[in-house]
Amino acid sequence: MLSLTCLISAAALAADESVNADLLLRGGTIYTGDGAAGRVGDVAIRDGKIVAVGQFKVGQLGRTIDCSGLCVAPGFIDLHTHSDDQVIAPTLRACVNYVIQGCTTSVTGNCGSGPTNVGEFYAKIDAAGAGTNVAHLLPQGSLRDRVLGSIDRPATAEELATMRDLVDKAMRDGAWGMSTGLIYVPSVYASTDELIELARVTASHGGIYASHIRGEGSGLLTAVSEAIKIGEVAGLPAHISHFKSSGSENWGLIRQAAAAIETARQQGRTVTADQYPYTASSTSLEATLFPTWARSGGNAALIKRLDDPESGPKIKAEVQRDIDRTANGAAVFLARYQAQPTWVGKNLKQIADEAKRPALDIACEIVRNGGAAVVNFSMSEDDVRYAMQLPWVATASDGRSYLPNADRPHPRSYGTFARKIGRYAIQEKAISLEHAIRSASGLPADILGLKDRGYLKPDQAADIVVFDATKYLDEATFDAPHRYATGVRYVFVNGTPAVHEGTPTGALAGKALRHVLTKRE
């Protein structure tokens, strides 16, 4: 590990020359992103890149910002967002709720869902810019839907060949890997062997396999084993999204899952994970309560099965079991429901009690009206704290770019990084500050394979966050989720100010980051 005094540009060091810079961040406590403790020093930026870090002689300067008493760190990399539509939408592409937390790169295409035409998606980002850089994963679920539709059946040899060709094209267009969402339709209908075949193509381009695994409750260990197997057989890094054990009856199981991952890592396999620091998850009501077999073919097919005298009672029996597991729906809150906005923010049991109807009836009504997004309180605080201490678990929000509106979304979109660093590391000291910063910068860069971001060192892109450790905190709550994080003073994306003196600038300096096949270290 290099000391800060050594982290200066090679040219300046060799010639004992002063460093010229467009911008000098002076006197902050520098966290380089590698887990090293902070040390006071300077950071010099020129032409959108870092040219010197630590103690060095200064030459010509364009501007200086006094960072005394502030923390200076690599811009945070969110490995798991669902901002696929938002980063190309005129009102949302600035990603304000992320840059105000210090995020400078968003990874899209997660959970098997998102654009499959990677070249076209990147071109849209290049044309208009974005608040953060964007790195895209090829979403296997959307790919399967494109080739097979959303039905529950194995792919034919011809369809599998078509999917392999599309994976190859996506990787050549700059995708960083492939994602799966194995509780979602139609991703769930792919067998392990089918996923391995697609992952082999991904591996041939140096990509990763990132998965929302098949089970995060009682099936957690089996699901983790499948992800490890796919990585091993296909020959690529396996990454587990939002690592957790769901359902009170499964709390603590995450420790056994972590032990399995540790064993795989000791055997030389590359296996990592990410987490958001909350005890609630968020997804659709259908994915939360309704069986995957019943969702084959989409919502219209699900409704038809609900009305079928044979399949309807079977579906309802399984839904009722899941409702029972959530305290009769008391743990499931509606985050977005267009058909009945007054239900948003209420839990399923509360809605049912007010209507004097069974919670099962309410759930079925919601599905008939197009479905809803929900927040589900299903995790243990002890498990959350345990996972964040693991050296191979990165921080990721599982959220998306938002503007305040009538929805009651999970607060993770507004608070993940500020909560992990400000609350758990700085306030509660559950983890060290340097560990928390690494989990949001150097570690996700290494997981993804980014070579020019994630660390404060020369020749890296000038993606940088400067924050006040005494004020950096999440303000978003489940009752009031549209509150921006506090304490970030400056954010630079490719050297351009995205946050200045605590205020977002609205700059769209983010780029489409294209993966190029390089040897992984």
Side-chain angles (χ1 to χ4, degrees), residues 270-286:
T270 303
V271 187
T272 54
D274 63 60
Q275 73 157 172
Y276 47 82
Y278 297 88
T279 57
S281 60
S282 183
T283 186
S284 68
L285 178 85
E286 303 92 292

Side-chain angles (χ1 to χ4, degrees), residues 8-9 23 35 48 51 55 78 136 143 155 193 199 202 219 300 315 372 478 504:
I8 59 175
S9 65
L23 174 64
V51 293
Q55 307 295 331
D78 193 336
H136 193 61
L143 174 68
D193 288 341
T202 307
I315 296 170
F478 288 98

Side-chain angles (χ1 to χ4, degrees), residues 107-129:
V107 180
T108 53
N110 279 289
C111 287
S113 178
T116 58
N117 190 327
V118 178
E120 180 181 272
F121 179 62
Y122 279 160
K124 291 177 181 178
I125 296 166
D126 287 339

Side-chain angles (χ1 to χ4, degrees), residues 420-445:
K420 180 83 162 279
I421 296 170
R423 193 173 300 275
Y424 282 99
I426 297 172
Q427 283 195 349
E428 300 185 10
K429 304 190 186 313
I431 50 176
S432 69
L433 180 53
E434 54 265 29
H435 173 91
I437 289 173
R438 175 181 175 270
S439 77
S441 55
L443 178 59

Side-chain angles (χ1 to χ4, degrees), residues 27 46 83 113 118 326 405 445 484:
R46 185 173 65 242
S83 290
S113 178
V118 178
T326 62
N405 57 30
Y484 294 110

